[in-house]
Amino acid sequence: MLKVDDLKGVIPPIVTPVDDEENVDEQGLKKVIDYVISGGVHGVFVLGSNGEFYAFDYENKKRAVEITVRHVNKRVPVYVGASAITTKECIKLAKMAEDVGADAVTVLTPMFIKPNEKEMYNHFEAIAKSTSLPVILYNNPDKTTNNISVSLLEKLSKIDNIIGIKNTSFDFAQTVEYIRVTRDNKNFKVLSGSDYLIYATLAYGGAGCVAGTANVAPRLVVDIYEKYMAGDYKGAIDAQYRLIPLRNAYNYGSFPVPMKDCLNILGLDIGHPVKPIEHCSEEKLQAIKKVLDDLGLTNI
């Protein structure tokens, strides 16, 4: 089980390879896991938004978690997405993750519905109480249309096994406020969820990042974190700037396919996105290849 001091560094929300029937592809998933771990990441997050969690039924989700826990084999902590619209379904997923042997769960705000702050607090509290695993909150208002306010975050951070939050928001002031109101809480960490803001989050006292680009360029993302922690601030900011063109590649296709297309170009052969999402256009694939060429990734 994850301790709060272990919640740090670079945690890629790994893509989920699928077969022709859009079920989890075990061999593809193992390749992705080995690729990111060989790049020096500090954890693996399965069934995040980059992992198309919304696309899979319960059995496929369980299979993805089982494969990930077994194949990671304690090399790094395994974080499992336990996100759904209802509290009941989130609890079911959190219990599954605990039974299978995950180290922590990550839970998005509900999507589609619009709970008020009391309802949101009760939602996360019930999930946290349902499991002995640490819980990392996941704020992604652009995708879910629900936002964890600073005041709500401060209250939730006092629940014993809620130990952190990933903030995927371009409202960086909110990230700063998250850190400010929890900075005296030794049992709570704030992670960047925007790959543009990894260095900035670290500078304000954040613990690391959950970075989709770490699927593709794990060593580069790890460089930002490790150089920053070593006091090489110039090296860290240089790595951050080098990462930006890859983050911009998200705009080349429908989310979350660009990272899958990147990995296919690199030869991992992880297959297709789950429909209705389709691959990037040929023109955009060539643009992606240039980004990868410029980063020296196609020579690996």
Side-chain angles (χ1 to χ4, degrees):
M1 189 181 303
L2 190 82
K3 296 178 181 178
V4 68
D5 289 342
D6 298 324
L7 178 58
K8 62 184 179 182
V10 175
I11 305 162
I14 55 173
V15 302
T16 308
V18 296
D19 60 23
D20 290 342
E21 283 74 46
E22 297 186 341
N23 294 311
V24 174
D25 173 23
E26 179 171 356
Q27 295 309 311
L29 185 52
K30 288 178 178 178
K31 283 191 286 187
V32 172
I33 291 166
D34 288 338
Y35 179 73
V36 298
I37 291 179
S38 70
V41 301
H42 306 87
V44 167
F45 173 21
V46 62
L47 297 179
S49 50
N50 271 270
E52 298 169 291
F53 77 91
Y54 51 82
F56 301 112
D57 59 19
Y58 178 81
E59 290 307 316
N60 266 289
K61 288 179 178 179
K62 184 178 181 183
R63 186 160 178 265
V65 176
E66 288 172 339
I67 293 165
T68 302
V69 169
R70 184 171 62 246
H71 194 63
V72 169
N73 194 27
K74 304 295 182 183
R75 288 180 284 174
V76 294
V78 173
Y79 302 77
V80 172
S83 299
I85 294 175
T86 65
T87 308
K88 179 181 178 180
E89 185 66 16
C90 291
I91 288 172
K92 181 179 179 181
L93 292 169
K95 288 182 174 179
M96 177 269 285
E98 183 169 355
D99 290 345
V100 171
D103 296 290
V105 293
T106 301
V107 187
L108 262 172
T109 56
M111 51 230 80
F112 186 73
I113 57 174
K114 292 289 288 183
N116 61 37
E117 292 223 337
K118 180 179 181 295
E119 291 165 338
M120 197 102 77
Y121 180 90
N122 291 341
H123 171 71
F124 286 119
E125 181 187 43
I127 297 163
K129 284 184 174 179
S130 76
T131 179
S132 65
L133 290 179
V135 175
I136 294 91
L137 307 172
Y138 179 1
N139 193 50
N140 192 341
D142 183 55
K143 292 290 189 289
T144 69
T145 74
N146 288 307
N147 180 57
I148 298 174
S149 71
V150 175
S151 60
L152 177 59
L153 185 276
E154 190 171 12
K155 293 171 189 171
L156 289 168
S157 70
K158 295 173 183 174
I159 296 173
D160 285 347
N161 62 325
I162 294 182
I163 67 166
I165 187 167
K166 169 198 176 186
N167 191 31
T168 304
S169 169
F170 290 123
D171 181 2
F172 187 62
Q174 182 168 289
T175 297
V176 174
E177 280 288 271
Y178 281 174
I179 295 169
R180 183 183 68 82
V181 300
T182 61
R183 63 191 302 225
D184 295 329
N185 183 346
K186 303 302 182 186
N187 295 310
F188 194 85
K189 302 284 187 68
V190 177
L191 302 168
S192 172
S194 169
D195 300 25
Y196 293 112
L197 299 172
I198 299 167
Y199 180 96
T201 301
L202 293 171
Y204 269 93
C209 63
V210 179
T213 54
N215 276 285
V216 177
R219 290 188 185 279
L220 178 58
V221 184
V222 167
D223 260 359
I224 302 171
Y225 174 78
E226 293 193 342
K227 287 181 177 178
Y228 185 90
M229 298 307 291
D232 179 7
Y233 303 123
K234 182 181 185 305
I237 196 67
D238 286 348
Q240 175 73 84
Y241 278 123
R242 286 189 68 217
L243 183 66
I244 299 303
L246 180 59
R247 174 57 183 84
N248 287 341
Y250 271 107
N251 300 320
Y252 294 176
S254 298
F255 181 86
V257 72
M259 295 303 105
K260 273 191 167 180
D261 281 342
C262 285
L263 289 172
N264 282 325
I265 290 170
L266 294 180
L268 270 73
D269 298 324
I270 59 162
H272 307 293
V274 177
K275 291 180 179 178
I277 302 304
E278 298 182 359
H279 290 287
C280 297
S281 68
E282 188 58 40
E283 177 187 3
K284 293 302 184 184
L285 288 173
Q286 291 305 310
I288 288 173
K289 186 175 185 304
K290 184 179 186 309
V291 171
L292 300 176
D293 287 343
D294 290 346
L295 289 174
L297 293 171
T298 50
N299 300 322
I300 296 174

